[in-house]
Amino acid sequence: MYPLRRNRRLRTTPALRALVREISITPDDFIVPLFVVEGKGKKEEINSMPGYYRYSLDTLKTEVKSLWDLGLKSVLLFVKVSDKLKDNAGTEAINPDGLMQHAIQTVKEVCPDMVVMTDVALDPYSQFGHDGIVANGQVINDDSNAILAEMALSHARAGADIVAPSDMMDGRIFEMRTLLEDEGFVDTGIMSYSAKYASAFYGPFRDALDSAPVDAQDIPKDKKTYQMDPANRDEAIKETLMDIEEGADIVMVKPGLCYLDIVRDIKNTVNVPVAVYQVSGEYAMIKAASERGWLDHDAVMMEQVTAIKRAGANLIASYFAKDVVKLLG
Ligand code: PBG
């Protein structure tokens, strides 16, 4: 008399499947990345990210309100600055009157309860497209940390709730945490991109911000000396535990889909919230294939965010956040 256990019994109807479902997706799971540009009345579609836009501060207001109305409670801000503001020192990154600082204030103005997170890395401000300062053909760790900490402080002063260092320098969390404490920003959180891989999936993002490493003599052509090797798993735990020790409140794995083993390892190891960044290339792949009619956009999108959450993500930074929440109804 086999089988006594028929696993299909619990799959027979939608209601039964819903009752035994292990995880579900809600608006609270998401962080919405937003790209901001100078100017007025702008809503520019990003070439390699169909349906995703760069907003000027005025159109940003409308977008943020609509996100809040959909139940989305957190944004992660990135800025595209003009070439003339770029240098090798991060000067514009700490300008109290800079685009990022204004973007933070703008979001808080229209939506004071929205959790405002900000990207901390020099690449959008770097004439060389690197996350830190370049000298002697290298991205220099310690000098970069000093300016990155100043950048985090500048965001906190402008009203950011959580700063999100994506630069992968060693020791930057400690430096930031110390400076924020010293300056009285004891409640400003740090979401650290702890296990951030040197991934080819960041391509569309670099188009969005015009922030790719430049091709020039004595400038590193990629970010492999500071971002992680995709072949490494144990190292992700080392990176993550160090960031927590240095004061990170939330840790992150990035990208998502190719790194779900890492997400689960980290989820099983740490006791702080784990975020996952479903990156621009992951978004672009689904958009491109579904535009050709090769994949069912909504079904694939839901399957991927479900997989990310099932792997152990407490938070998902995703360009699909709005689409997902609209689909949830
Ligand atoms: C910058 C940064 C990158 C992303 C987030 N912050 C790009 C990079 O490291 O080159 C990628 C996000 C995405 O691809 O969606 N430090």
Side-chain angles (χ1 to χ4, degrees):
M1 249 256 289
Y2 189 82
L4 287 178
R5 294 182 70 88
R6 289 181 186 273
N7 295 336
R8 292 180 50 174
R9 265 179 220 132
L10 297 180
R11 296 180 199 137
T12 48
T13 68
L16 207 43
R17 289 196 292 275
L19 283 173
V20 299
R21 189 162 294 137
E22 296 177 33
I23 59 140
S24 48
I25 300 293
T26 82
D28 295 342
D29 295 327
F30 291 100
I31 300 165
V32 185
L34 287 175
F35 300 117
V36 186
V37 274
E38 292 286 359
K40 266 208 164 80
K42 287 195 180 156
K43 184 180 173 186
E44 309 169 343
E45 188 165 24
I46 298 150
N47 266 342
S48 45
M49 299 179 72
Y52 224 78
Y53 303 88
R54 284 180 289 250
Y55 297 93
S56 52
L57 293 174
D58 51 341
T59 59
L60 179 69
K61 289 184 187 173
T62 323
E63 181 61 13
V64 166
K65 277 189 227 156
S66 85
L67 294 175
W68 186 259
D69 290 343
L70 285 166
L72 291 158
K73 299 179 183 67
S74 165
V75 294
L76 175 56
L77 301 177
F78 297 92
V79 292
K80 178 177 190 284
V81 300
S82 69
D83 281 348
K84 62 178 194 301
L85 294 175
K86 298 184 182 186
D87 62 15
N88 187 31
T91 311
E92 180 62 17
I94 59 169
N95 177 2
D97 248 339
L99 184 57
M100 173 61 93
Q101 290 75 3
H102 283 301
I104 298 166
Q105 289 154 357
T106 301
V107 178
K108 282 293 179 189
E109 212 175 281
V110 293
C111 206
D113 293 329
M114 183 68 91
V115 177
V116 176
M117 305 188 181
T118 57
D119 188 63
V120 178
L122 292 190
D123 49 335
Y125 300 99
S126 161
Q127 68 188 105
F128 302 128
H130 276 289
D131 292 18
I133 292 169
V134 180
N136 306 319
Q138 292 178 356
V139 176
I140 305 296
N141 195 83
D142 299 12
D143 291 348
S144 299
N145 278 346
I147 180 74
L148 290 163
E150 291 291 339
M151 187 176 177
L153 176 63
S154 161
H155 295 179
R157 286 202 172 116
D161 299 294
I162 295 182
V163 292
S166 67
D167 54 282
M168 287 296 278
M169 301 301 128
D170 289 321
R172 87 271 207 221
I173 303 300
F174 176 75
E175 203 131 340
M176 271 171 214
R177 187 69 269 164
T178 310
L179 186 63
L180 289 169
E181 290 285 324
D182 287 350
E183 296 291 326
F185 291 94
V186 296
D187 289 328
T188 305
I190 300 180
M191 176 171 76
S192 168
Y193 290 61
S194 316
K196 175 171 177 180
Y197 287 86
S199 170
F201 285 98
Y202 306 150
F205 172 96
R206 294 177 188 171
D207 292 343
L209 295 189
D210 186 23
S211 62
V214 301
D215 190 4
Q217 218 193 340
D218 279 341
I219 305 303
K221 308 251 171 307
D222 55 49
K223 300 187 178 181
K224 290 179 184 169
T225 59
Y226 47 107
Q227 299 180 347
M228 283 180 58
D229 183 340
N232 293 358
R233 188 166 171 180
D234 295 339
E235 192 190 4
I237 298 183
K238 178 178 73 170
E239 285 280 1
T240 304
L241 291 177
M242 279 177 67
D243 284 359
I244 294 171
E245 220 168 273
E246 291 177 29
D249 301 285
I250 301 173
V251 294
M252 187 197 276
V253 177
K254 176 183 177 188
L257 206 58
C258 293
Y259 298 87
L260 296 186
D261 56 331
I262 312 298
V263 175
R264 178 42 66 177
D265 280 350
I266 287 173
K267 182 66 191 167
N268 288 345
T269 309
V270 307
N271 56 7
V272 300
V274 177
V276 170
Y277 202 138
Q278 183 187 36
V279 302
S280 56
E282 301 180 67
Y283 175 87
M285 284 197 301
I286 294 182
K287 291 290 171 187
S290 57
E291 268 172 17
R292 291 187 165 206
W294 291 352
L295 285 175
D296 175 337
H297 178 276
D298 290 353
V300 172
M301 168 183 81
M302 287 311 295
E303 189 172 330
Q304 291 204 8
V305 295
T306 301
I308 290 170
K309 188 165 179 186
R310 189 198 63 230
N314 301 102
L315 288 164
I316 307 170
S318 172
Y319 304 102
F320 287 116
K322 226 166 123 177
D323 290 348
V324 168
V325 168
K326 282 183 182 162
L327 200 66
L328 294 176

